[in-house]
Amino acid sequence: MKALTLPLWSKLQLLLGSREEQSDYDSLLLMLLLILLAIGLVMVNSASVPVAERLFGNPLHFTFRHLVYLGLGTAMAIVVLNIPVHRWHQGNLLLLALAVVGLVAVLLFGRTVNGATRWLALGPISIQAAEPAKLFFFVYLASYLVRRHEEVRENFKGFIKPMVVLLLLSVLLLLQPDMGTVIVMFATALVLLFLAGAKLWQFIVLSLTGVSAVLFLIVYSEYRWRRVTAFLDPWADPFGSGYQLTQSLMAFGRGGFSGQGLGNSIQKLEYLPEAHNDFIFAIIAEEIGFIGVFGVLALLFLLVARTLWIGRQAMLKQLHFHGFLALAMAIWFGFQTAVNIGVASGVLPTKGLTLPFVSSGGSSLIIMLMAAALVLRIDFEVRMEGKQAINRGGRSG
């Protein structure tokens, strides 16, 4: 039998949206992804000009940097598009080991910025090890749910095993410290286990345990406690602990319904820190207003909903690993979006998480593009099921 592969021309057709290949991939998902990436490029350019001019004497420094990472992400996405999904299933433990090695390497050799050791310098490129760790853990979890599906449904031991793995990764992440990534991974794992059929009481107990652990970490960490108190009343210290949130809220307030116009943000003039990165949604609100906020939210919602639909289609065709992995990607995209927007709008305490496919941020953008390409590959194989024989080594369940 011929193995399911994507030759170079097919990959180009996939990326460009060729009509001839419309029946073989999800053009809606690809279109949503391209629109979000285009919005991200425009807004990163708009939000980063003042700080780039001051730091590097080049107003387009962060724009060029974003384009470089977009190029690297696209190259990695093409590689992912040509890897059969069952290869991820087979290599899940190796990927998990790479995640652990990467997180340990950061602690030993990483670069410290603003009190956090999260980056590995590889020549001119810095890699945030937490980003591939998220993707690799979700691959492991999807594989585990296929291999131990009945154990997860019937036995608490089966439910708790992947959470022990998550605990190990969480300890390494908290040593950086990076609590935001821990929360995203924990929430995604919890929801995926619930969708896989874990008992409700297990879900509730683990949820309460996780929330209790987060509260403990907040109470016994001075800087986290300052973030929470600033979130509860940012105006109590608008030039101290509440500074970033008050500036973000002012951006939302200035935006109104239609915004101040593209490029006309005041908050990006170095009043709002990380304007082109974690708080880019505030600049979108200020420059494009409610219209822009609603548009970006709608695009991200549709992307998450479409990814969920792809996961469901895979499940219906008994491609369980494909299905669990697509569901994990959807939960990840959706939860990280909710956290980023919640932080920017003052609904959640400040966490350093990017807005998927929009924010500047090299490692995050590359890994998000790889994850999106993986979803496209999953959809491709689901669509081809029944049209031609696929490598049954990737079919589980």
Side-chain angles (χ1 to χ4, degrees), residues 23-229:
S23 61
D24 292 340
Y25 69 94
D26 197 291
S27 55
L28 174 59
L29 182 67
L30 183 59
M31 180 183 68
L32 292 168
L33 179 62
L34 292 176
I35 293 173
L36 283 168
L37 291 173
I39 292 172
L41 178 60
V42 171
M43 293 312 303
V44 166
N45 178 66
S46 177
S48 66
V49 167
V51 67
E53 177 69 40
R54 179 177 65 84
L55 293 176
F56 303 100
N58 178 6
L60 297 180
H61 173 84
F62 288 110
T63 303
F64 291 146
R65 178 179 177 273
H66 191 73
L67 284 169
V68 168
Y69 281 113
L70 265 177
L72 291 173
T74 301
M76 293 302 297
I78 291 175
V79 172
V80 170
L81 283 172
N82 203 40
I83 299 175
V85 178
H86 77 272
R87 295 294 185 191
W88 295 84
H89 190 10
Q90 293 172 344
N92 74 95
L93 293 177
L94 175 60
L95 293 175
L96 181 64
L98 286 175
V100 173
V101 169
L103 294 176
V104 172
V106 165
L107 296 175
L108 295 176
F109 313 110
R111 182 165 56 91
T112 300
V113 179
N114 296 328
T117 306
R118 300 177 184 173
W119 292 268
L120 277 173
L122 298 177
I125 297 175
S126 293
I127 296 176
Q128 193 171 353
E131 296 300 330
K134 279 189 280 192
L135 176 60
F136 295 163
F137 173 72
F138 297 146
V139 171
Y140 158 77
L141 185 57
S143 178
Y144 177 85
L145 291 175
V146 171
R147 291 181 282 109
R148 305 287 185 179
H149 192 215
E150 290 305 316
E151 190 177 349
V152 170
R153 292 170 61 93
E154 304 297 335
N155 193 322
F156 184 71
K157 182 181 173 183
F159 175 80
I160 206 67
K161 280 180 183 177
M163 304 312 291
V164 172
V165 173
L166 179 56
L167 177 62
L168 170 63
L169 296 176
S170 298
V171 170
L172 294 173
L173 287 163
L174 290 171
L175 289 173
Q176 296 184 5
D178 187 355
M179 190 171 173
T181 296
V182 172
I183 292 173
V184 169
M185 292 171 69
F186 178 78
T188 303
L190 207 57
V191 175
L192 195 62
L193 284 164
F194 182 70
L195 293 176
K199 297 184 187 306
L200 183 59
W201 71 266
Q202 297 173 341
F203 180 79
I204 294 172
V205 168
L206 202 56
S207 298
L208 293 175
T209 303
V211 171
S212 300
V214 169
L215 291 175
F216 176 84
L217 290 169
I218 289 172
V219 170
Y220 287 93
S221 173
E222 185 180 348
Y223 88 94
R224 291 192 186 108
W225 181 250
R226 286 200 304 268
R227 282 187 171 186
V228 171
T229 53

Side-chain angles (χ1 to χ4, degrees), residues 9-19 25 30 34:
W9 174 242
S10 296
K11 287 181 286 188
L12 291 173
Q13 287 179 315
L14 182 64
L15 290 172
L16 296 174
S18 168
R19 291 181 177 274
Y25 69 94
L30 183 59
L34 292 176

Side-chain angles (χ1 to χ4, degrees), residues 177-370:
D178 187 355
M179 190 171 173
T181 296
V182 172
I183 292 173
V184 169
M185 292 171 69
F186 178 78
T188 303
L190 207 57
V191 175
L192 195 62
L193 284 164
F194 182 70
L195 293 176
K199 297 184 187 306
L200 183 59
W201 71 266
Q202 297 173 341
F203 180 79
I204 294 172
V205 168
L206 202 56
S207 298
L208 293 175
T209 303
V211 171
S212 300
V214 169
L215 291 175
F216 176 84
L217 290 169
I218 289 172
V219 170
Y220 287 93
S221 173
E222 185 180 348
Y223 88 94
R224 291 192 186 108
W225 181 250
R226 286 200 304 268
R227 282 187 171 186
V228 171
T229 53
F231 151 70
L232 294 173
D233 187 9
W235 301 102
D237 188 13
F239 299 105
S241 59
Y243 179 77
Q244 195 168 27
L245 181 52
T246 55
Q247 297 301 316
S248 180
L249 293 175
M250 281 191 271
F252 276 88
R254 291 191 73 250
F257 183 77
S258 57
Q260 297 294 314
L262 190 62
N264 292 329
S265 166
I266 290 178
Q267 298 308 119
K268 74 182 182 183
L269 302 177
E270 299 203 65
Y271 292 106
L272 176 61
E274 303 294 338
H276 61 293
N277 198 344
D278 299 345
F279 280 81
I280 197 168
F281 197 69
I283 304 302
I284 292 173
E286 186 179 6
E287 294 192 347
I288 318 178
F290 174 78
I291 295 172
V293 165
F294 179 81
V296 172
L297 276 175
L299 289 167
L300 286 164
F301 174 81
L302 288 172
L303 184 138
V304 171
R306 194 62 177 177
T307 306
L308 286 171
W309 181 84
I310 289 170
R312 180 174 179 273
Q313 294 303 113
M315 288 296 195
L316 290 175
K317 293 195 176 181
Q318 302 300 307
L319 296 169
H320 293 139
F321 176 71
H322 297 61
F324 282 129
L325 192 51
L327 292 174
M329 299 299 104
I331 299 164
W332 174 19
F333 296 161
F335 189 78
Q336 185 157 324
T337 296
V339 171
N340 178 276
I341 293 173
V343 166
S345 58
V347 176
L348 296 171
T350 303
K351 283 281 147 235
L353 291 172
T354 58
L355 185 62
F357 308 110
V358 177
S359 292
S360 174
S363 300
S364 175
L365 184 60
I366 290 172
I367 295 299
M368 283 288 181
L369 284 171
M370 290 175 64

